[in-house]
Amino acid sequence: MLYQVLKGAFDQPFIDMVETIVADIPAQKGATVEEDDYSTRDCDLHWIDYGTKGFDLIHPHIKEALKQIGEVDPGTWEYENIQYTAYGQKGFHDWHIDTFRRSYNRYDLPLGKRFVGKSRKLSVSILLNGRDEFTGGNFEISMFPNGTNTVGTPLDDFSKAGDMAIFDSKLCHLVAPVETGLRKSLVSWICA
């Protein structure tokens, strides 16, 4: 699977639950994993950590939605912390991939031993509000291997609150700058 959009995968009660959980989690400025480089990303993040009550409430809903596409093996796949992302006016995330050039190892212990030898396979993005609340902020995917001279394909059908995009973590993608309003999403990564 390269990518797929599930329309209306999540309902308003799920979105309300996420907003309630995130209200108690401090925001931090978005950066890249490799370094604190804020030039490729402008957003606020709230991390919903594995093993917390919030994660335990949200995670089963994501797993259930993924069953619709039949790509996830619950016996072998692991889920990382969940990221709530808010993009205000001019907020964006430039071209990037979600996987790393290696599998996780024992030095990645903050993730837990369950990730050793695994790497990100699928990325999940859930819109928590629709295009009636923001302009710009298009989600685009590219078939090119890196962000140099990348031409993306906007996922036009990824537009309403509750829509879920699932894609190969190796695919280059971006969130274009938000022009007006606030774009909110929930992101999860699945490792095998």
Side-chain angles (χ1 to χ4, degrees):
M1 177 216 335
L2 292 175
Y3 65 86
Q4 183 175 348
V5 174
L6 289 179
K7 299 292 293 171
F10 298 92
D11 59 14
Q12 192 60 48
F14 171 82
I15 294 168
D16 293 342
M17 176 186 69
V18 169
E19 295 291 351
T20 299
I21 291 166
V22 169
D24 293 331
I25 301 172
Q28 59 189 89
K29 186 166 174 52
T32 58
V33 172
E34 298 83 17
E35 56 193 65
D36 292 331
D37 177 9
Y38 299 104
S39 66
T40 61
R41 188 177 196 187
D42 184 6
C43 60
D44 289 328
L45 307 177
H46 300 260
W47 288 100
I48 305 163
D49 295 332
Y50 178 85
T52 63
K53 182 179 178 183
F55 185 96
D56 293 344
L57 288 169
I58 294 169
H59 177 256
H61 294 275
I62 295 173
K63 253 178 119 170
E64 190 61 34
L66 287 169
K67 284 182 185 177
Q68 295 180 47
I69 60 163
E71 293 281 334
V72 178
D73 178 358
T76 60
W77 292 60
E78 294 290 349
Y79 294 77
E80 291 188 35
N81 296 339
I82 300 169
Q83 175 185 283
Y84 174 100
T85 314
Y87 297 92
Q89 190 170 0
K90 297 184 182 178
F92 70 98
H93 194 170
D94 210 346
W95 290 112
H96 65 285
I97 59 173
D98 287 346
T99 193
F100 306 103
R101 291 187 169 94
R102 63 172 177 80
S103 298
Y104 290 122
N105 61 44
R106 63 189 177 113
Y107 300 106
D108 298 313
L109 286 179
L111 288 171
K113 292 179 183 175
R114 63 197 171 88
F115 285 97
V116 172
K118 297 186 179 191
S119 60
R120 289 179 176 175
K121 299 295 182 192
L122 286 178
S123 297
V124 176
S125 183
I126 303 163
L127 268 181
L128 298 175
N129 62 334
R131 293 192 180 269
D132 54 333
E133 295 183 36
F134 64 91
T135 59
N138 292 336
F139 185 85
E140 298 183 22
I141 287 184
S142 174
M143 298 301 131
F144 292 98
N146 61 48
T148 306
N149 299 320
T150 299
V151 176
T153 301
L155 299 188
D156 293 330
D157 55 346
F158 184 51
S159 60
K160 296 191 185 228
D163 289 352
M164 177 171 77
I166 309 104
F167 55 97
D168 187 313
S169 295
K170 293 178 185 173
L171 288 179
C172 202
H173 58 284
L174 66 68
V175 174
V178 171
E179 296 165 7
T180 62
L182 179 69
R183 180 189 191 276
K184 300 182 287 186
S185 63
L186 201 60
V187 179
S188 179
W189 301 276
I190 304 164
C191 301

